Structures are given as C-alpha cells and as structure tokens.
Amino acid sequence: MAYRAVFRCIAGCPGEFPIWEPVYRCPTCSDLLEVSHDLGALKNRSASAWMRLFDERYKRTAWPYGSSVWGKKEWVCPEIRDESVISMDEGGTNLFWAERFGRELGMHDLWVKMCGNSHTGSFKDLGMTVLVSVVRQIIEDGGTIRAVACASTGDTSASLAAYAAGGGVPAIVLLPRGKVSTAQLLQPIANGALVLALDTDFDGCMAIVQRLSQDEGIYLANSMNSLRLEGQKTVAIEMVQQLDWEVPDVVIIPGGNLGNVSALGAGFEMMASLGIINKQPQIVVAQAEAANPLYLAYQNNWAFSPVVAKPTQASAIQIGNPVSVRKAIRTLQRHNGIVAQASETELAEAAARADRTGMYNCPHTGVALAALIKLRERGEIDPSARVVVVSTASGLKFTDFKLGYHERRLPDVRPSHANAPLELANDYDAVRKAIDRHASERA
Ligand SMILES: *Cc1c(COP(=O)(O)O)cnc(C)c1O
C-alpha cells in the first residue's frame, strides 16, 4: 500500500506541496501549513490491525521501528526511506501513575507522561527526528541544503544539534543570550552546531531565522515547519497505546510557541479518523503568567494579540508571539479547551511539591502541575477524571532553577519546600543531633 503525505494550508486554500520542498507558509494567504495524510489509504488497514502493528513494533530493535515515532511511520512520514532516518530511539517514555501526588489533590487517576526522558532531555526529539531525517533524504536525493537552522529557547537547539550531528548535516542555532540553562547551552556546543547567542529574546531570534530561511539553502527547523508536529503528535498516540488504547479525560500540557498542543490535538484527531478511539480528551494549555498571550486570548473570546514575554523560570516557554497560535486555538476549540496560567511562585511551588512525591520536575512541568492544582481547586477538573500531565523536559536540564529554589534565591519566590543540605563538622554527635532535630521538626 502506498501511503502519502503532503503540505496543505491550514486555512483551506487550494493546493498541496511536497514535503520535500522548503515551504513553510501558504503561498496564497501566508498562513501556516500542515501535513495532510491520505486517510483513505490508511483506512485500508483496520483500527485493530494498526493497533496490533504499533504494539508489535513498540520498543523492539527492527530499524527504525523500535522508536515510538518511527513505529508509527505510516502515520508520520510514510515516504521516507528507512535508511535515511536519523533516530536515537525516540518516544516510549514512561507514563506513570502519580499515586501520592494525585492523592494529595484528591485524585486517584493522575498520570505523568515523562516526555523529557529522551535523547536530549526534552520532547523536542519527537519532532526533530522527523525533520532532520527529511533533510537528510533531500540531500541524498541531490537537493541543496547548506544547513538547518532554528531559533530556540534551549531545547529545540539541543535537539536539532544532536540529530543534525547524527546525520552529518550542518546545524545553526540562534539563542537569546543569557536566557537558556547552562545544560541547554552546552548541548549544541558539544554536538558541533554553530551557536549564535544573540542580544535579544526568543521572538527576536525567531524573526531573524525566518529571514535566513528565505535564503537559498538554509532550512528552517522551528515548529512552524509542520514536519516537527508530525513526530510530536505521536505523544498522543503513545499515551493512548500505553493506557491500553483508552483515551484519558484530560491532558495538560505547557505551551510556548504552541506547536506541541497543536500536535497533541492532531494525534488524537488522527486516531479518531482511523477508528482507534471514539472520544476526544479535554486539552488544557498551561502558560507562565510572564508569557501568557494564549491565556489572555482565552479570556477574550480567543481574540489574540502578542505580548512582550517577561523573564520566567520556565524559560523554554518565554514566548510572546507564538508562531502556531492559530493552530493551537483551533485545537482548543475542538477539545473543550482551557488555558490556565501560573505565577513564578505557583510554578516553583508546584514543581517542588510534586518533587516531594518522588518526581524531579522541570519548571515547565511545574507550570502544568500548577494549572492542575488550580483547576482541581476551582472544580474545573473532576476528582475522578483520568488526567495525564505532559512533562516536557527532564528536570536534570534545569539545575539552576532547582538550586535557586532550594537556596531560596529565585526572584519572586518564597519557597515552602526548600531543603538545603546541612553542612556539618566531621563529628558523630553533630550528625546524630541533626537527625534528631529533623525527626522532631517532622513530627
Ligand atoms: C518547547 C518546550 C515547550 C513548549 O512547546 P511549544 O510547542 O513551544 O508550545 C514546553 N516545555 C519545554 C521543556 C519545551 O522545551
């Protein structure tokens, strides 16, 4: 069976464009494009046969299908040659029952999807493996791409640099100077990308990279290139697969440039179109109050205007003019959507409180957890609902945030779970006394 995917305008302008061409916007109306699959061909296989196929491939070693993105290749990027794929075994991340944290919130069916347990430590790998693999096939087929470039709040550049290095493709990353974590800055450096740290914010980097990509030979790797979303949408399919093909009631996801939420919705919609599921989850986007343009639009009947994003610990979502806002609003309108926001204190406290139940949350996951707490308190999420919180990055990439919290140095945050080490002399009694004191404080 020949499966096919092409770019089409999200506003419905006529025409289709090959995914092998560097085209990111509709030539008619300049809105974004999306990848459109030949659903008729995909329907020739039954829903149960697709589920069986995806289960058979899941986390096995047959190249490249053990990756949970490429295990769903026919739904993602059917025309790529297996040997052009650059994969580091994406997806297949743990989805765990957050029993103790859920109980604290009066919930018994709360789950956390650890998308950050991935090759470069964030969910960005899910999309980047698809985009860079397409680039490699274009180059192999004689296309002229000099380099792949992105603007980034840190995780996109880490992921692009790794996959580009994996495929021997030159990479250029534009970062806002001083606004990404140390780990995020080091990742593209280690992988040999050209790292350009600009004196601006993410939105400034994004404007420059869009101009660069109009030049001959610089290929755009930001999520306005909808190839990324094809990989990212597999998180929806994977979580349903992990729940024995049942749909959760609510999914909460942190949002910045808003590609991720659009991808999530697309994954659920594709499963419905192909008969795998028969309901859609409610989708909640969580934003930092410091960078909340979607939240403001939600409060205002979806009338959107960009904002200037202020500094936030959730640096990967410090974005005031999200590129995928129209896709995101469309997704939320189809999914009974809610947008919630979290202040710096709320996000840091939520992350730390959940850490006390065994997690190790990045600040963006903190934003999502803070949204969960608020919506539970307001009764907007039912205590019996099955809720999945999407954790987007590994907490290990955000040491500055963690240390700042526990050393009580975060601006605008008064930590109630700070747990700095007690520094003691080399003395048995001092140790014993410290343990006793700790025990009586906890009692
Ligand atoms: C990129 C990113 C997000 C936001 O995803 P968007 O598609 O930009 O909305 C959230 N969390 C982390 C850790 C990220 O790297």
Side-chain angles (χ1 to χ4, degrees):
M1 190 76 226
Y3 302 111
R4 232 179 124 246
V6 294
F7 287 134
R8 283 188 210 282
C9 172
I10 61 165
C13 294
E16 55 175 58
F17 313 94
I19 63 161
W20 313 102
E21 298 285 323
V23 40
Y24 318 109
R25 286 187 180 278
C26 170
T28 311
C29 74
S30 78
D31 211 330
L32 294 183
L33 303 173
E34 65 189 341
V35 174
S36 155
H37 289 267
D38 182 349
L39 291 177
L42 291 166
K43 277 179 189 158
N44 284 334
R45 197 189 285 252
S46 70
S48 58
W50 281 120
M51 291 187 273
R52 205 173 331 115
L53 181 69
F54 294 164
D55 282 342
E56 276 164 15
R57 290 170 172 171
Y58 191 67
K59 291 195 171 188
R60 312 294 300 198
T61 41
W63 179 265
Y65 301 97
S67 151
S68 181
V69 171
W70 295 108
K72 300 164 178 73
K73 180 181 168 188
E74 295 85 350
W75 291 33
V76 169
C77 190
E79 290 156 293
I80 196 141
R81 295 184 293 268
D82 287 353
E83 56 281 12
S84 298
V85 168
I86 305 157
S87 172
M88 318 260 187
D89 200 27
E90 305 69 33
T93 53
N94 38 333
L95 171 68
F96 73 89
W97 181 39
E99 185 205 351
R100 185 164 161 221
F101 189 65
R103 203 176 336 119
E104 286 185 13
L105 305 183
M107 305 173 73
H108 61 80
D109 209 1
L110 175 65
W111 298 73
V112 181
K113 176 69 176 146
M114 298 298 290
C115 293
N117 289 352
S118 176
H119 184 65
T120 70
S122 85
F123 78 87
K124 298 290 197 299
D125 295 344
L126 298 172
M128 207 53 90
T129 180
V130 177
L131 182 139
V132 184
S133 298
V134 167
V135 168
R136 170 143 103 178
Q137 184 157 319
I138 295 173
I139 294 172
E140 285 168 353
D141 292 346
T144 47
I145 291 180
R146 272 163 55 211
V148 188
C150 73
S152 175
T153 53
D155 290 327
T156 300
S157 52
S159 189
L160 172 62
Y163 284 86
V169 178
I172 303 168
V173 309
L174 280 68
L175 299 166
R177 190 162 70 88
K179 296 191 178 76
V180 307
S181 80
T182 311
Q184 289 171 326
L185 177 63
L186 281 168
Q187 288 179 294
I189 289 175
N191 289 135
L194 173 61
V195 178
L196 305 172
L198 306 191
D199 257 326
T200 179
D201 57 8
F202 169 80
D203 298 293
C205 293
M206 190 67 219
I208 291 183
V209 84
Q210 289 196 53
R211 278 183 64 187
L212 280 180
S213 67
Q214 287 155 14
D215 272 17
E216 197 61 34
I218 306 272
Y219 189 87
L220 182 69
N222 281 94
S223 58
M224 73 180 269
N225 183 332
S226 50
L227 288 173
R228 290 252 315 271
L229 307 192
E230 289 311 287
Q232 285 172 210
K233 83 182 178 200
T234 61
V235 71
I237 308 167
E238 183 175 301
M239 77 171 69
V240 169
Q241 183 177 14
Q242 287 173 307
L243 295 169
D244 293 323
W245 300 103
E246 279 180 24
V247 185
D249 299 310
V250 183
V251 182
I252 305 180
I253 193 165
N257 222 9
L258 304 178
N260 205 13
V261 59
S262 314
L264 187 74
F268 284 112
E269 285 166 26
M270 192 159 180
M271 280 187 282
S273 304
L274 293 168
I276 287 188
I277 59 175
N278 54 21
K279 71 163 200 180
Q280 293 288 309
Q282 181 170 43
I283 295 184
V284 178
V285 173
Q287 290 211 299
E289 200 176 303
N292 63 354
L294 188 70
Y295 175 76
L296 296 176
Y298 171 69
Q299 302 284 58
N300 192 21
N301 264 321
W302 297 120
F304 173 81
S305 16
V307 302
V308 174
K310 296 193 271 295
T312 167
Q313 293 301 322
S315 50
I317 55 176
Q318 187 180 332
I319 295 174
N321 191 12
V323 166
S324 296
V325 65
R326 301 232 312 138
K327 285 186 186 175
I329 290 174
R330 190 182 64 171
T331 298
L332 289 169
Q333 285 172 332
R334 290 180 189 160
H335 288 88
N336 194 14
I338 297 178
V339 186
Q341 64 173 1
S343 67
E344 293 304 290
T345 294
E346 287 166 337
L347 75 89
E349 290 288 79
R353 183 176 164 194
D355 284 359
R356 287 292 182 102
T357 68
M359 302 185 212
Y360 193 76
N361 291 297
C362 79
H364 322 87
T365 307
V367 173
L369 293 169
L372 168 70
I373 293 169
K374 279 190 181 178
L375 295 175
R376 260 304 295 133
E377 282 171 355
R378 287 193 219 136
E380 288 187 60
I381 290 181
D382 195 80
S384 64
R386 172 171 283 183
V387 178
V388 176
V389 173
V390 177
S391 172
T392 45
S394 166
L396 293 168
K397 289 177 81 163
F398 296 89
T399 303
D400 315 341
F401 164 68
K402 290 288 192 204
L403 196 60
Y405 181 88
H406 289 287
E407 292 185 343
R408 303 175 184 276
R409 288 190 283 100
L410 292 188
D412 308 322
V413 176
R414 295 252 291 319
S416 46
H417 305 281
N419 185 30
L422 296 177
E423 293 177 355
L424 300 175
N426 178 13
D427 178 63
Y428 179 80
D429 276 342
V431 171
R432 213 172 39 88
K433 275 190 197 130
I435 293 171
D436 288 345
R437 208 176 316 119
H438 182 66
S440 64
E441 276 165 18
R442 286 181 54 137

